[in-house]
Amino acid sequence: MATSELSPIDRHLAALLQRIASNQSSELEIAAQLVSRFQADGHVCLPLGEITAGTLVAAGISHSVPAREMWIRKLRESGVVGRPDEFKPLILDEAGRLYLQRYWAYEVDVARDISNRLRTKQSVEEVSIKQQLEKLFTQESKLQKLAAIVAATSNLCLISGAPGTGKTHTIVMICALLLALSADTEIALAAPTGKAAARLKEALARGRNSLKLPEEIAKRLPDDATTIQRLLGAMADSIKFRHTRENLLSANVVIIDEASMVDLALLSKLLDAISPQARVILVGDKDQLASVEAGSAFRDICTPGFEIGISGNQARTFEKCTGQKLTGVTSRQASIHDAVVELRENFRFAAGSGIGELSQAVNRGDAARANAILKSGKVKWRPTPSAETFEHKLRRRVFHRFKELCAQTDPSEALARLHEFVVLCALRRGPFGAETVNTLIERMLLEAGKQRTTNKYFSGQPLMIVRNDYNLELFNGDIGITLSQPDGWRVFFAGEHGGLRSFAPARLPEHETAFALTVHKSQGSEFREVLVILPAEDAPVLTRELIYTAVTRARNDVEVWANEAILEQTVNRKVRRSSGLRDSLWKDAGGK
């Protein structure tokens, strides 16, 4: 398995465990270094049976790979590696997966919570659901109705779908259904970032105004969505939250959008703070990039590694509630399967849409088809320019767009234009990375007459917050626009109900220029037009999920700068994060 080079923290942890071990060994040192490095690289555990000589070389470890049986025996004898029922710094399970103790606990807690919720059902009469579906769900697809039925009848519902499949609309309709079914429904809506929460809040406002909902339901729709951290009550300078198992959230329905961005640790703390009797509804795209921190929990929960289709229980409940039959019912069975719904009908990308076809080809891992679509002209494409010509070609492509942005004087119009066009880079650093592209664009604008202040800000400069500030209610991923005002320079952010919030630049938490974003930073956003730039050389971060996420940020047009060989390698490389969560939840999947 691929990994990055050991950091000083990895080496220090291994040295510490060697010092406190009752039986020191090179096998313990290697394992401790790697489990720390794997966790930093996004894995929940270290699968001993999959470690190769190449893994050790990439990590900068000069030893050879220990024989598996010997390795496990040495770890068991060390005194610092425990079995799943023991409290030791490292935990080794029977499948040969080695965990840092804290991440073992997170994974066990999530699996236990999900399993417990699967065993309990909501006491809602099917006839009531049928009546409300007929009244409320007049235009929705069968799978959107199925998602609502699962949400109404279960304590756990997971809804996955590509951009354009109506996930946010489904959230609004689920809220309407649950409110119609019970006067005691209290809904909390949240997302991993402030940007994603703002989009969810906008969807609720649009739904209240545009959907033909009964007035008594429309006025009860929640009017707020927040970050998960704020929902849980983040505490300054602490990884703990105010809401825990001892201080549960009051809501009896908790809906999380963009759930693919939620890491294992945060999901564990979230589930811990929700009443066991409450409904938990997680909505996201299982094929999108996983969280920045360790784990790909949403993907693990939603996918067993094979096409799951619709469960028999789902099909039977759907028929009782609608009088209709569902196709695509599978014979495979697992308890978690009854809670998972995948939306498949795309309302944004029509048949023949270049973005739709390209994203599907990438998602399937069909590099030949992806390259053919780019060459056909259905999606704009050009090879990545050389480092020598990159600035010139970038100028020709983007300068006029950002010059228009910088000419805006009205904050609302300027913020609206931020969603018109963006440059997405696969890498943060390097000749084709977001930092370089932002520097080049700033230089272009300054050469065109834009004057910096002494604090290095200029009119029309977009700024992205990169560190949460709960006092100012500015969160990682929020993007504002810098404008000169009579009282000095201000950075404007979208506020509630279409309003604006502004701050002096000096008051902002840590931030950076955001003409160009990394693909990771763009998650939870959408833009009318997107320029995607892949580097001229291969890198481990170039994966199928990354290019899929980048392409699907666009509503109307996308242009890809990528060499054919690099694109092929990117599409063929699938993110794989080691954990035991999928095996734990899908172990009873059988059938044909």
Side-chain angles (χ1 to χ4, degrees):
M1 296 184 69
T3 189
S4 55
E5 190 171 355
L6 295 180
S7 71
I9 290 176
D10 306 327
R11 298 184 187 279
H12 282 306
L13 174 66
L16 171 64
L17 292 179
Q18 285 278 60
R19 285 197 300 273
I20 65 175
S22 53
N23 291 292
Q24 299 179 357
S25 66
S26 61
E27 287 84 359
L28 172 62
E29 181 182 29
I30 295 169
Q33 289 174 338
L34 285 178
V35 75
S36 175
R37 175 74 338 235
F38 266 55
Q39 186 274 319
D41 285 345
H43 301 275
V44 176
C45 61
L46 174 72
L48 296 180
E50 299 178 31
I51 303 306
T52 66
T55 308
L56 300 192
V57 170
I61 298 173
S62 57
H63 293 276
S64 57
V65 180
R68 189 171 185 271
E69 292 75 14
M70 171 70 75
W71 203 354
I72 290 174
R73 182 168 63 81
K74 290 287 188 180
L75 293 178
R76 296 280 187 215
E77 294 171 352
S78 68
V80 294
V81 178
R83 296 182 183 276
D85 56 348
E86 296 179 305
F87 187 80
K88 294 289 180 70
L90 302 179
I91 300 295
L92 181 63
D93 71 8
E94 297 307 314
R97 290 183 287 244
L98 184 68
Y99 295 78
L100 295 169
Q101 203 282 333
R102 183 156 54 106
Y103 280 87
W104 163 257
Y106 288 145
E107 185 173 284
V108 168
D109 287 348
V110 168
R112 182 187 298 119
D113 186 282
I114 287 175
S115 297
N116 289 340
R117 292 182 192 278
L118 290 172
R119 284 193 287 269
T120 57
K121 296 293 182 181
Q122 292 287 337
S123 56
V124 183
E125 293 183 0
E126 290 169 349
V127 64
S128 298
I129 297 175
K130 189 175 192 300
Q131 290 171 351
Q132 294 302 332
L133 285 175
E134 290 172 352
K135 184 187 298 184
L136 300 172
F137 284 66
T138 57
Q139 304 293 326
E140 284 67 33
S141 70
K142 284 186 175 182
L143 289 177
Q144 287 176 313
K145 290 179 183 178
L146 175 62
I149 291 169
V150 173
T153 57
S154 308
N155 273 8
L156 178 70
C157 177
L158 300 110
I159 304 168
S160 178
T165 53
K167 295 190 297 296
T168 2
H169 175 79
T170 303
I171 290 174
V172 176
M173 295 307 295
I174 286 173
C175 289
L177 176 62
L178 296 180
L179 289 168
L181 290 171
S182 173
D184 297 326
T185 299
E186 181 185 348
I187 302 173
L189 294 126
T193 66
K195 181 170 48 180
R199 283 188 58 205
L200 184 53
K201 189 185 299 186
E202 291 167 7
L204 289 164
R206 284 197 307 271
R208 181 179 287 104
N209 297 327
S210 62
L211 296 175
K212 296 179 180 179
L213 298 174
E215 185 178 351
E216 66 274 14
I217 299 299
K219 68 182 181 182
R220 290 173 58 207
L221 278 177
D223 57 8
D224 192 27
T226 186
T227 63
I228 298 173
Q229 291 87 347
R230 188 179 172 202
L231 175 70
L232 294 178
M235 301 167 67
D237 303 317
S238 173
I239 62 171
K240 296 181 179 180
F241 297 99
R242 285 192 295 274
H243 287 290
T244 63
R245 194 173 304 170
E246 288 73 39
N247 181 27
L248 296 172
L249 293 165
S250 62
N252 54 20
V253 178
V254 178
I255 303 177
I256 305 298
D257 196 14
E258 298 290 350
S260 63
M261 298 168 63
V262 182
D263 61 86
L264 181 69
L266 184 57
L267 181 60
S268 173
K269 294 170 185 178
L270 173 68
L271 294 175
D272 203 41
I274 301 172
S275 166
Q277 288 73 47
R279 292 178 173 92
V280 175
I281 302 166
L282 305 180
V283 184
D285 184 351
K286 63 180 176 56
D287 299 313
Q288 199 170 293
L289 278 169
S291 58
V292 175
E293 303 298 329
S296 53
F298 186 73
R299 184 186 307 160
D300 287 347
I301 298 168
C302 289
T303 57
F306 52 79
E307 194 70 26
I308 61 171
I310 294 165
S311 80
N313 287 335
Q314 287 177 339
R316 285 186 288 274
T317 304
F318 183 84
E319 186 172 0
K320 290 177 183 176
C321 292
T322 66
Q324 300 173 302
K325 291 184 179 292
L326 286 172
T327 57
V329 180
T330 179
S331 60
R332 292 183 184 269
Q333 295 298 321
S335 300
I336 184 65
H337 192 173
D338 293 339
V340 179
V341 179
E342 183 172 358
L343 303 179
R344 299 178 183 275
E345 184 178 353
N346 203 298
F347 303 98
R348 183 188 302 173
F349 305 128
S353 157
I355 298 175
E357 289 189 9
L358 179 59
S359 62
Q360 290 169 19
V362 169
N363 207 5
R364 293 193 307 268
D366 190 343
R369 178 60 183 155
N371 269 318
I373 292 167
L374 293 175
K375 290 179 180 178
S376 72
K378 287 187 175 183
V379 171
K380 297 173 186 174
W381 166 75
R382 69 181 306 162
T384 303
S386 65
E388 293 74 23
T389 63
F390 181 61
E391 181 175 358
H392 171 70
K393 293 185 177 178
L394 183 68
R395 176 188 292 271
R396 291 181 58 186
R397 178 64 182 85
V398 308
F399 175 71
H400 67 287
R401 304 300 298 266
F402 293 125
K403 184 180 179 182
E404 291 172 0
L405 174 65
C406 291
Q408 301 303 313
T409 56
D410 179 75
S412 296
E413 178 62 25
L415 283 170
R417 282 182 176 262
L418 280 179
H419 298 286
E420 290 293 298
F421 175 73
V422 73
V423 180
L424 297 184
C425 301
L427 305 177
R428 179 176 178 83
R429 298 183 176 86
F432 305 99
E435 289 183 354
T436 299
V437 172
N438 277 315
T439 299
L440 293 175
I441 292 171
E442 286 187 1
R443 183 193 302 166
M444 296 173 197
L445 295 168
L446 291 172
E447 290 173 354
K450 287 289 167 188
Q451 297 299 315
R452 287 184 185 272
T453 71
T454 54
N455 290 323
K456 299 184 179 179
Y457 298 103
F458 59 89
S459 187
Q461 181 183 19
L463 298 177
M464 172 178 275
I465 303 300
V466 297
R467 181 175 55 80
N468 294 336
D469 187 318
Y470 294 95
N471 294 321
L472 296 180
E473 296 190 350
L474 290 172
F475 301 101
N476 186 7
D478 290 351
I479 299 181
I481 191 80
T482 311
L483 295 173
S484 177
Q485 299 294 293
D487 60 344
W489 290 91
R490 307 291 291 181
V491 183
F492 290 86
F493 294 85
E496 293 186 5
H497 310 299
L500 295 172
R501 305 169 66 217
S502 71
F503 304 87
R507 290 192 65 204
L508 298 179
E510 187 178 348
H511 56 277
E512 58 190 29
T513 300
F515 291 109
L517 309 176
T518 62
V519 178
H520 276 88
K521 287 289 188 182
S522 74
Q523 290 187 89
S525 300
E526 66 176 35
F527 304 87
R528 192 181 69 80
E529 185 180 348
V530 170
L531 170 62
V532 181
I533 300 177
L534 299 191
E537 296 182 358
D538 192 23
V541 73
L542 298 181
T543 64
R544 180 185 309 173
E545 291 80 2
L546 181 135
I547 190 69
Y548 169 82
T549 302
V551 167
T552 55
R553 296 311 90 198
R555 293 192 306 271
N556 295 80
D557 295 295
V558 65
E559 180 172 342
V560 178
W561 288 9
N563 297 329
E564 285 186 56
I566 295 298
L567 183 68
E568 182 175 354
Q569 289 172 305
T570 299
V571 173
N572 286 333
R573 181 184 291 124
K574 188 170 175 60
V575 169
R576 184 177 167 231
R577 289 189 167 181
S578 299
S579 85
L581 185 60
R582 174 181 291 167
D583 287 351
S584 176
L585 295 174
W586 289 92
K587 60 188 175 185
D588 56 339
K592 298 179 181 180

